[in-house]
Amino acid sequence: MKQSGVTPWWKALRIRPEILDASGSIADVQMSLYHAVYGTEDQRPQYADASYYGEITHPTGALTDLLARIAIRLGGGDEYTKSPALLRLDQGMGGGKSHACIGAYHLAKAPLKLGKTDVGKAVLEHAETILGRPLPKNLENPHVVVLPCDNMTPGATVEEHDGPAKSLYERFLWRLFDGDYSRYITYREHFSNVSKISEAIRSLDRPVLIIVDEIMNYFGNGLDGVGDEALTAQDQAFMRALLDAVTKTPRTAMLAVMIASDKDSISLSLEGERRRLDLERLLDRNGKPVGVHENDDFAAILRRRIFAQPPAKEVVDATVREYNEAMSNGPWKAKVYDALHAPWTANFGEEVSRTYPFHPQLMHMAEHEWANRTGFQKVRSTIKVFAATVFALQQRGKTGVWAPLLIGPGDLPLSSTQVRESIIGSGLISDAKTQNNYRSLAQNDIVGVKDTSGTARLLDTNRGADEDVLWHRSNPRAAERAATAIFLTSIVSGRSQGRRGATDAEVKAATAVPDPAYMFADADAVIKDVTDPETGLVSIETTPGQKGQQARYFLSTSQTLVMLQRAMRDTITDAERDTVIADFAERLTETGPFDRKQFVRASAEGQAPREVLASAGIDDARVSRLVVLDPAQFTLRNGADRATRDAVQAAVGLGAEKLPTRWASSAVFAVANTQQRHAARRLATAYLAAERVLGVQETQDDDDMKSKAVAERNEAKRSLETTIKRAFQHVLFLAQPDDDAPRVIDEVTFDDKTETALNGAIVWKALVEKGKAFDQGTFTAKALLHNLRETDYGRPLDELRDSFWNTPRLPLLHGGQNDLRQALFEAVQAGLLRIVDGEGEEVAVTGVSEINLSSQRLRLGKPLPPTPQHEEPSSGGTDSTPESEPSPAGEDERRGGENDAPPAPQEKQIAFSVTQSMLNNTGNSEALSQLFRQLYDVIDRGDVSFLQGSIQMVVSSQTADGLAERIRELGSPVHVRDM
């Protein structure tokens, strides 16, 4: 940052030690007259000392005039009439009433001590100007009677302060006479007698100051709570008499605090309201309403309350020069500062001198917007916000972290809990629900409590990684500053002309720094980042500029649900995201015809895919398994699947790093698509965010928001389930087309959006099409014979059974062992097979259950040849058939030999494969056409008793549609995909 020769404010100013000790908090910013007067030990605040009070109090014009009038009334001698006797403070909360009462108390109680402070000197000088002569420094030793009604319960007195007194009048007398019982008794009965009250005051023979603080706390609900009509009537009569008496008693002043009814939010009963109207009428008649300060006093009040000394002129001048250079040139001047139409831009140097270390833009907002809001506690609220801000930024500056030369509206660090809560609780936001919404908005959309999260903060930190951004070091929080400025203008509803939020120029000004490297175009880019619908602030609403009007930006709490979801997405780790995908995939997997489903989770310890499968327990005997691989570690396609393919290859016993396995043929792997995994991860993050939003307090406290959050969570869950199913497009399995072919990994890819590898039934159908499995009811005796080899005869039944789970050339059985047992039984019954024992003797099988597939003794045997049929001779000894001629020599022997030979087989199995390119190959096309015509003739004649296989061909789209329709009519599955 271009700051050569400029001493930053955190070095030029010394924060008051009590603020540093409290880490930016001002515990006694809400001053208490009661504690200042009656507090003891730890209940006695620092401002109970007149010197300290004078040190932290700026002598505003209004406060100086108020105290000077009281001083004249008390110490002006015969000229006491130049000041009114009864002064009323009617400001709302945070308007400085308690501060003024304590100042009046110190003025009368310790005039010499207060007179040495700036405020004391200003008061005496002003009084001298009014009188034309100086007042006695001790103001003739006034006596002070304090009635702090906000700490007084009607009818319940404190003996330490009130002695035997019960009513408010009696309390007044006891304090007036400092506990002189005899004098108290003399006047006790005259509670409504104006002359007697005046006489009692004059009997002291010294000036008297009466301070009655927060009258309505006593006369409103306080008297209602007692339920003592006599006491109520007596206290009401006394207050009427007192308000008259002070105006008739020389050298007597009364300072009464009673908030005007239009500024007081207290709810009163009908009787309480009647009492208020009565008192207001008397105060209006006898007294004079006065103020304590004006809005323009904020800067001076804040500086004195927060800092121990004013800034050096040379520091302020150097700072102004830094900013002037940037403000007076090019588009910054024309499109930003001139477009603000703010008075501080024309007199920037003078304004900085008045507001330093705060930027005039921020002070203008506090003085002319915050201070006019109903509920905003003016000085009190502003001091809290600014003190917390100064402390937080000073800590940054002292540790070498960037802090602004002037604290503007974008520089209030919302990452500080004290700053954020001071703003939210200042009264600028009226209701608790909106406060909660803006609290969440600040933390999630702008900057988190640890200063490392929040949308705007992340925009800045990400920009910091870009070496091409030359101005980042001088303005590392540009997006956060823009967002904070919009936040401050958004919480003040109804700004100038009822408009919401900040103008484009206001936001750009809030991001400005005195560094020429940060140009107008850079500020424009920052705002574009902040308002980007995809990566910017979730809660921001943009009103485009039109007809000469600037664009405006507003942070809306109506989008809090979206904002919370966006914020929750930032809290979700990659591991959490992948875990929820795995959980969903495992839950969504349907076994179908498979015996078992198995989900293999990704390694949390960094194991390679091969090692994960090696330890997953996949090799399971005589069980068809649908093995679902966790997408976090296993995916296919997009050129990033070598590790997955190698791992699966090893798991089925192939490749250079093959794993020991026996049952690989019956394991079928469901694998996700790499690109689809990206979509699933995005939706998994959205689902987790929606789930977490339901758990935050803001959602639980708002029934409407909770209902919407539940609906969005359910929709996010549905979308995630659909996407995860879609992601599992691939199936891998061990295949061996025939005995002579090598074992390989074959693959099925589902392109239809309705198909998923998580559905065992869909996967099984695909395996049927591939010849890797039998469909339900299709494994008949003939199918069994079709798949048997010569070496299968003579094998024990348990080996034959196991081969259907560990031999890749044999398709998987839909019904498992039951299908095999049924097919064997049918074959035996048809005479196609025999079941024999170890010695080759046939074993009778009369039922399916008698076929013991676990037997090592029983074996598979070929059927016996049919027994030859011989003619029996005729009975009766004679043959009616003429004797035939003898046949040629040897012919009978030859014929007899033929009759003894085994009969020729009735059926033969034929298997073939074809892989041909048909492009520009007329010869092949003709030869294949003739082959398929012959196949047609064979099928048409009914010469085919069993048919198994699949055909893959590439044809025109129109031809494919026609063939697919015909195949479906046969009831066979068909798969068509675009090429």
Side-chain angles (χ1 to χ4, degrees), residues 834 862-868 901-903:
R834 290 187 306 145
K862 289 185 177 181
L864 293 175
T867 303

Side-chain angles (χ1 to χ4, degrees), residues 33 113 204 235 255 350 415 417 457 529 587 679 727 771 816 893:
L33 176 63
K113 207 170 186 180
L204 294 184
D235 286 344
L255 182 60
E350 294 178 12
S415 56
T417 300
R457 184 76 188 106
D529 288 343
R587 177 174 58 81
E893 287 79 4

Side-chain angles (χ1 to χ4, degrees), residues 93-95 293 295 298 371-372 376-383:
M93 296 297 292
H293 52 71
N295 290 347
F298 273 17
N372 295 325
F376 183 71
Q377 298 179 14
K378 296 191 177 180
V379 175
R380 184 185 305 165
S381 297
T382 310
I383 289 175

